[in-house]
Amino acid sequence: GESVGLHLPTLSVQEGDNSIINCAYSNSASDYFIWYKQESGKGPQFIIDIRSNMDKRQGQRVTVLLNKTVKHLSLQIAATQPGDSAVYFCAENDYKLSFGAGTTVTVRA
Amino acid sequence: EADIYQTPRYLVIGTGKKITLECSQTMGHDKMYWYQQDPGMELHLIHYSYGVNSTEKGDLSSESTVSRIRTEHFPLTLESARPSHTSQYLCASSGGPGTSPLHFGNGTRLTVT
């Protein structure tokens, strides 16, 4: 079936370095994509979204890139901080689809 | 701070008991969802609602049921809890015209002994 999925289950990053989390999707008709962050013991929180008429969108220390040709989405976190340690999920606009397992980001001091 | 509230936060209950997990949102969102998530695993959609008196099953089969009598309230009920129901249950809502992100509660961690 159609779904979104993350490339790597875990990512270890040195504090201060940039992080890149990747995601692939299969539904070429999807026109809205969202990244969520889930900290331990909490529900997922919205980080940033992007619509299919855009290739790039920037927020505070985060950038989302969308490549519709290869159906690939990435989240870049600049100057990663200990508070960025969490599980990151990508999702597409059809909420009836389940999320993937997420990428667990661990920040090394 | 979350505008979507789930209670209880933790629940330990014996097999065969009936339980209701509460979810309320103060944002006036029409769309509400229940997800099930095991530790370190993906979220699976088990129920959703697009408005009052509208409920649908998600892609993960669940023995739970839901109701949507009021816009702000979307409770989930298990008539007879079993150890296989042990999991985290996350409620979410979304609103606004067209597509918009989900707002999640902090979940109910259910343990059935």
Side-chain angles (χ1 to χ4, degrees):
Chain A
E2 294 167 332
S3 65
V4 292
L6 288 152
H7 289 181
L8 291 174
T10 61
L11 179 66
S12 180
V13 183
Q14 184 70 39
E15 182 178 356
D17 287 352
N18 297 335
S19 304
I20 300 176
I21 306 166
N22 296 302
C23 181
Y25 64 95
S26 58
N27 184 0
S28 56
S30 294
D31 60 0
Y32 178 63
F33 303 89
I34 316 104
W35 281 99
Y36 294 93
K37 172 186 180 182
Q38 185 176 24
E39 297 176 272
S40 180
K42 296 184 179 181
Q45 290 180 294
F46 168 79
I47 303 173
I48 192 168
D49 56 4
I50 189 167
R51 299 193 186 275
S52 59
N53 61 352
M54 301 173 70
D55 297 322
K56 179 180 179 179
R57 190 167 187 216
Q58 288 184 292
Q60 188 176 16
R61 281 201 308 117
V62 294
T63 301
V64 56
L65 299 177
L66 176 62
N67 185 330
K68 296 180 287 293
T69 302
V70 296
K71 290 185 280 189
H72 181 269
L73 191 70
S74 68
L75 177 71
Q76 300 177 1
I77 305 172
T80 309
Q81 301 170 359
D84 295 327
S85 292
V87 180
Y88 291 81
F89 295 94
C90 61
E92 58 184 304
N93 58 303
D94 187 348
Y95 299 128
K96 295 191 294 293
L97 295 174
S98 296
F99 290 49
T103 290
T104 300
V105 173
T106 303
V107 181
R108 304 189 306 272
Chain B
E1 293 300 320
D3 295 310
I4 182 162
Y5 306 97
Q6 292 186 244
T7 58
R9 188 76 176 86
Y10 302 94
L11 179 61
V12 180
I13 201 161
T15 298
K17 299 292 186 182
K18 177 180 179 179
I19 60 167
T20 297
L21 308 185
E22 302 288 348
C23 177
S24 295
Q25 49 97 2
T26 59
M27 297 170 281
H29 288 167
D30 286 327
K31 300 172 187 174
M32 295 189 74
Y33 309 81
W34 277 103
Y35 288 86
Q36 186 174 339
Q37 182 184 36
D38 291 323
M41 302 297 285
E42 56 197 278
L43 287 83
H44 291 283
L45 181 67
I46 51 175
H47 297 283
Y48 63 98
S49 167
Y50 284 171
V52 172
N53 294 325
S54 155
T55 61
E56 301 287 344
K57 289 188 179 294
D59 59 345
L60 180 67
S61 176
S62 174
E63 293 166 343
S64 58
T65 59
V66 292
S67 62
R68 190 87 184 278
I69 299 171
R70 303 197 316 266
T71 297
E72 63 272 20
H73 196 214
F74 191 39
L76 181 145
T77 299
L78 276 165
E79 290 293 333
S80 179
R82 294 207 301 269
S84 61
H85 296 139
T86 294
S87 188
Q88 171 157 263
Y89 293 85
L90 289 160
C91 181
S93 71
S94 67
T99 52
S100 59
L102 296 176
H103 296 254
F104 282 89
N106 283 327
T108 292
R109 185 164 295 281
L110 173 66
T111 302
V112 184
T113 61

